[in-house]
Amino acid sequence: MNIVIAGAGAMGSRFGIMLKQAGENVILVDGWQQHIDEINQNGLKANFNGKDVTEFIPAYNQNDLSDVDFSADLVILFTKAMQLDNMLQSLDNMLGKDTIVLCLLNGIGHEDVIKKYVDYDNILLGNTMWTAGMEGPGKVTLFGNGSVDLQNLGEGKEDVAQKVADVLTNADLNARVSSDILTSIYRKACVNGTMNGLCTILDSNMADFGDTSVANPIVQKIVSEFLAVARAENVFLDEEAVIEQINGCFNRETIGLHHPSMYQDLIINNRLTEIDYINGAIVRKGKEYGIPTPYCEFLTQLIHSKEEIVEAK
Ligand SMILES: NC(=O)C1=CN([C@@H]2O[C@H](COP(=O)(O)OP(=O)(O)OC[C@H]3O[C@@H](n4cnc5c(N)ncnc54)[C@H](OP(=O)(O)O)[C@@H]3O)[C@@H](O)[C@H]2O)C=CC1
Ligand SMILES: CC(C)(CO)C(=O)C(=O)O
């Protein structure tokens, strides 16, 4: 399958490497020129579960795609939320009438942006519990296990969703077709709405935060706000199962040692965060539905305050 990874940061690089290793025809598209040059000159390097690997995958700058002759069967979106619109504009001439677009960004509501550029029937929404970290241009660190949930937006397009899930699973990415992706997206948003902001503000990995005596009450308060907003949108989540999934992030043997992507953005790279698409989205929706969201609001404000202190770009 001809696959474009749109947004070749940490996660895009993971999916690019694993899909390439499974024999798919992959290209990477990104806006970070130094990263692109490094990949094209020396290959995309990864410490992959403790082993050094290098994959040669063609990488292109999203602002210079006019001469790229690649008929994309599948585009996997892995930008940061605030870069999504720009990336879709850049990809415009690669999106054929049959190109399937799978969105795996964290956060809520990305379909509203994607619908501006892609036929409804060609959109797959999803989320993933895989993790990845950027070491520098052309180099990522990959460890642990994960999974992908995805669903077709268009009615009757389940076969398309299944085909994409099969391609991902064949690359060991453990994908499954969900019959209720909004529930999965909200469930994952609860994970990000707790782990990402809290570990960033507390300067910790997930396991160290989980070991603190107040981890559970804080997590419960935040989750209850997410669940109340989800209910207002007719998305019903089992609180216990959500908390269990979050507790799974504390496990040092699996992904507990990971610093969430928001930590990597703000603390390591001085970059702006996706907080407005996670806790901030809950605050906005809460206001719409008359649901108080003080914990999400406070965490969103703390992150914005930290962004200002470190002059994040
Ligand atoms: N990392 C993780 O473990 C997980 C992340 N996610 C989600 O996946 C999506 C992609 O996240 P992730 O892969 O972490 O994103 P990254 O920050 O690694 O990469 C996203 C983009 O940011 C830019 N960028 C990243 N680092 C630098 C740098 N040091 N200097 C300059 N530019 C840089 C690049 O684009 P450009 O230059 O064009 O700005 C890149 O495409 C997000 O929605 C995230 O929340 C989901 C699950 C886990
Ligand atoms: C670690 C994980 C899975 C949960 O916070 C994640 O999605 C991220 O790093 O953004």
Side-chain angles (χ1 to χ4, degrees):
M1 191 179 258
N2 284 353
I3 302 175
V4 178
I5 306 285
M11 289 298 284
S13 295
R14 173 189 273 285
F15 276 58
I17 288 173
M18 291 177 75
L19 286 161
K20 174 82 196 303
Q21 287 179 342
E24 306 299 342
N25 188 22
V26 182
I27 67 167
L28 307 173
V29 172
D30 201 85
W32 182 10
Q33 191 58 47
Q34 216 191 334
H35 181 50
I36 294 164
D37 289 344
E38 190 58 38
I39 295 171
N40 286 331
Q41 279 157 26
N42 301 314
L44 175 55
K45 296 190 163 54
N47 183 294
F48 196 167
N49 295 331
K51 204 173 135 213
D52 287 331
V53 300
T54 303
E55 284 298 332
F56 288 86
I57 309 175
Y60 300 93
N61 192 307
Q62 69 187 80
N63 300 313
D64 197 10
L65 293 176
S66 48
D67 291 339
V68 181
D69 184 17
F70 191 81
S71 155
D73 301 311
L74 172 66
V75 173
I76 303 181
L77 296 170
F78 253 136
T79 62
K80 291 293 186 191
M82 46 285 188
Q83 303 168 324
L84 181 60
D85 200 298
N86 241 335
M87 176 59 84
L88 284 159
Q89 280 181 40
S90 305
L91 290 175
D92 211 26
N93 70 347
M94 272 196 184
L95 300 174
K97 75 173 188 11
D98 295 323
T99 309
I100 301 304
V101 175
L102 167 63
C103 176
L104 290 177
L105 277 64
N106 282 332
I108 300 167
H110 301 312
E111 58 278 19
D112 295 338
V113 178
I114 303 168
K115 274 190 289 197
K116 293 196 289 178
Y117 303 95
V118 183
D119 278 354
Y120 198 73
D121 276 354
N122 289 351
I123 302 174
L124 302 179
L125 275 191
N127 61 32
T128 176
M129 283 303 291
W130 286 100
T131 64
M134 206 69 237
E135 289 302 309
K139 174 104 208 266
V140 289
T141 298
L142 312 173
F143 63 83
N145 276 311
S147 57
V148 177
D149 274 2
L150 59 90
Q151 189 180 10
N152 46 297
L153 284 191
E155 236 173 82
K157 295 288 172 183
E158 288 75 13
D159 54 332
V160 174
Q162 190 58 57
K163 191 169 167 200
V164 170
D166 290 345
V167 168
L168 296 177
T169 297
N170 185 46
D172 291 333
L173 285 158
N174 304 331
R176 70 170 194 112
V177 177
S178 163
S179 54
D180 192 4
I181 196 66
L182 280 186
T183 304
S184 300
I185 285 175
Y186 261 103
R187 196 183 307 117
K188 177 74 198 292
C190 289
V191 178
N192 297 123
T194 48
M195 293 304 95
N196 291 23
L198 293 170
C199 290
T200 303
I201 289 301
L202 296 170
D203 195 357
S204 78
N205 62 33
M206 300 191 287
D208 287 346
F209 166 65
D211 280 351
T212 66
S213 56
V214 287
N216 278 342
I218 302 178
V219 162
Q220 253 160 13
K221 289 283 187 196
I222 294 176
V223 166
S224 68
E225 294 179 6
F226 272 77
L227 264 49
V229 167
R231 270 197 302 277
E233 302 204 322
N234 291 323
V235 177
F236 300 97
L237 288 128
D238 174 2
E239 182 161 353
E240 230 172 86
V242 170
I243 302 272
E244 200 181 304
Q245 183 168 6
I246 293 169
N247 288 343
C249 293
F250 300 150
N251 185 344
R252 286 174 197 276
E253 306 302 313
T254 54
I255 58 172
L257 299 183
H258 171 77
H259 285 88
S261 53
M262 190 173 290
Y263 179 102
Q264 298 175 38
D265 290 336
L266 190 53
I267 307 299
I268 300 179
N269 295 316
N270 271 22
R271 292 170 67 81
L272 292 167
T273 71
E274 294 179 302
I275 195 77
D276 286 335
Y277 301 85
I278 306 171
N279 304 75
I282 294 302
V283 176
R284 279 195 307 280
K285 285 172 181 282
K287 288 201 169 111
E288 237 173 79
Y289 300 126
I291 297 168
T293 57
Y295 275 77
C296 283
E297 185 155 20
F298 186 45
L299 192 50
T300 304
Q301 287 167 336
L302 284 176
I303 292 289
H304 282 317
S305 179
K306 185 77 179 169
E307 286 174 340
E308 287 180 34
I309 291 167
V310 304
E311 295 180 15
K313 300 269 180 317

